[in-house]
Amino acid sequence: MNHLDVVRLLGLDAPVRPAGEGFGQIVPEDFELLVQAMPQGVIAASVLLSGTDVPVRSLEGFTRDTALRIADMKEALEGREQELWLPLHPRPRGLVPWGRTANDGVLLWDTTSADTADWTTVLTDTDFQFWLDLPFSASEFVARAVTGRAGGTPAFETYQEYEAGSFWKVADDKRATAMVLANRDIRAVEEIVTRVRSIGVPGVRQYAEELLGRAGESFGALPEDYLAIMREFPSGVIAGVRVFPASGGPGTPGLRRLDENGLFLQWGEVGGRAFGWLTAKGAPEEWRVAYIEPDASALTCLEDQTFATFLRRRLRGDNSLF
């Protein structure tokens, strides 16, 4: 999908690219053309684009309005003794913010590729505890938000229309999320799923389910807590833990078996250690988290930790490996 798909979905006039204006040299061309075609407002009650003059002349100018917020997010992450998996702009190939969500999530580009047309999207919460890797351009992300929105949700609203209507539904959802998370007896799966949903936008869950469906065909039965979380979380980082997609694409890691006997099923990594399950105990519900040292010198099993409880422990500030 590209910017033309988005403007068609929104019922807008297709933008015309002026010749020789330098589009696509600093940030992706499809984003600049999308911004040029759209009035300021809220897409599918969930996505807000960074307003900017186009074509973009410098990343410094483009990121100026978000620099303080990103610095605060980085400080919150470092306070948890965690590191970003990718650097932030202005470091070379650093993450560059291009929008936000109505639920206070932040949308950034992964600028690893030298070609701006190949930049993909990262969706994160305000302290980088959840980082969703999405292989979408800005345009495809927006198009998925529009096509995946709930019935009755407008495709596009001006700020005034949004504040008079959809805003109140978003506010109600935030209050409901806060009430769920305030429950002292909340289960690990419910806590993680609630937090992922609170930053997500329409279309993300559909993509996550696509990945999980392909994994089911390859690996068969998997633990229920893993399935419940990965239906909402396509891949990325949760509390400093790199979680692979349930099914990886060419050249990318995914759920995988590391040994010939298939007894260790890896789902992610932390600090160079391979994290997964020991699957020797028959039923998936009996599998427990285990990890292998970077040099493969030792394997440790966390006998009391499932996928969900291990991630929740990290979210609550316990980064120990025991």
Side-chain angles (χ1 to χ4, degrees):
M1 296 182 184
N2 57 35
H3 64 284
L4 295 176
D5 296 302
V6 176
V7 296
R8 175 180 53 81
L9 289 168
L10 298 179
L12 303 172
D13 293 331
V16 177
R17 181 189 185 281
E21 287 293 326
F23 283 71
Q25 296 180 14
I26 306 300
V27 301
E29 179 182 82
D30 76 305
F31 176 82
E32 293 181 294
L33 293 174
L34 187 59
V35 169
Q36 184 183 46
M38 291 187 60
Q40 289 291 298
V42 185
I43 303 166
S46 59
V47 180
L48 297 86
L49 304 182
S50 294
T52 184
D53 294 329
V54 294
V56 175
R57 300 302 184 187
S58 72
L59 279 181
E60 287 67 29
F62 182 74
T63 59
R64 186 174 295 118
D65 291 344
T66 57
L68 289 177
R69 186 181 189 193
I70 295 298
D72 289 343
M73 293 167 67
K74 184 178 179 181
E75 183 177 348
L77 188 73
E78 292 173 344
R80 288 173 169 260
E81 299 182 350
Q82 296 171 4
E83 296 180 355
L84 282 170
W85 286 80
L86 290 173
L88 288 165
H89 175 76
R91 291 181 59 187
R93 303 289 187 261
L95 294 167
V96 173
W98 60 263
R100 61 186 178 90
T101 76
N103 281 344
D104 299 323
V106 181
L107 291 158
L108 308 104
W109 280 302
D110 177 344
T111 70
T112 303
S113 173
D115 188 343
T116 63
D118 296 327
W119 289 3
T120 55
T121 294
V122 172
L123 170 62
T124 182
D125 59 350
T126 53
D127 61 1
F128 279 112
Q129 288 306 287
F130 288 87
W131 169 1
L132 284 64
D133 283 334
L134 302 164
F136 310 142
S137 66
S139 288
E140 181 169 358
F141 182 88
V142 171
R144 283 177 173 261
V146 174
T147 57
R149 71 189 190 281
T153 302
F156 177 82
E157 298 166 283
T158 65
Y159 288 137
Q160 292 75 18
E161 291 169 336
Y162 171 72
E163 290 172 352
S166 301
F167 168 82
W168 300 104
K169 174 65 166 61
V170 172
D172 288 343
D173 289 345
K174 288 183 179 181
R175 281 191 288 270
T177 295
M179 291 182 64
V180 171
L181 295 177
N183 179 3
R184 293 184 178 181
D185 299 321
I186 188 172
R187 297 179 302 114
V189 171
E190 185 180 8
E191 181 175 340
I192 294 170
V193 167
T194 298
R195 291 190 60 174
V196 174
R197 285 178 178 171
S198 73
I199 60 167
V201 297
V204 171
R205 190 175 196 272
Q206 180 182 9
Y207 172 62
E209 288 187 329
E210 290 170 7
L211 294 176
L212 196 57
R214 294 200 293 269
E217 296 171 1
S218 302
F219 296 98
L222 294 165
E224 284 298 325
D225 64 336
Y226 175 81
L227 295 174
I229 292 170
M230 298 304 286
R231 287 190 186 101
E232 311 284 342
F233 184 81
S235 70
V237 178
I238 299 178
V241 179
R242 183 72 178 180
V243 180
F244 298 157
S247 54
T252 61
L255 193 64
R256 58 190 178 185
R257 298 192 184 279
L258 291 189
D259 59 323
E260 295 180 357
N261 297 322
L263 299 181
F264 187 87
L265 183 56
Q266 184 183 6
W267 49 255
E269 64 182 26
V270 180
R273 299 175 178 86
F275 269 73
W277 301 285
L278 289 176
T279 62
K281 296 181 179 179
E285 300 319 302
E286 298 176 8
W287 297 353
R288 293 296 179 264
V289 170
Y291 64 89
I292 299 174
E293 294 295 337
D295 60 0
S297 61
L299 182 150
T300 303
C301 183
L302 308 180
E303 296 287 352
D304 62 338
Q305 297 296 323
T306 67
F307 179 74
T309 60
F310 176 73
L311 293 178
R312 180 168 69 171
R313 188 174 73 174
R314 299 272 303 193
L315 281 168
R316 294 183 173 184
D318 184 350
N319 295 331
S320 61
L321 301 177
F322 59 84

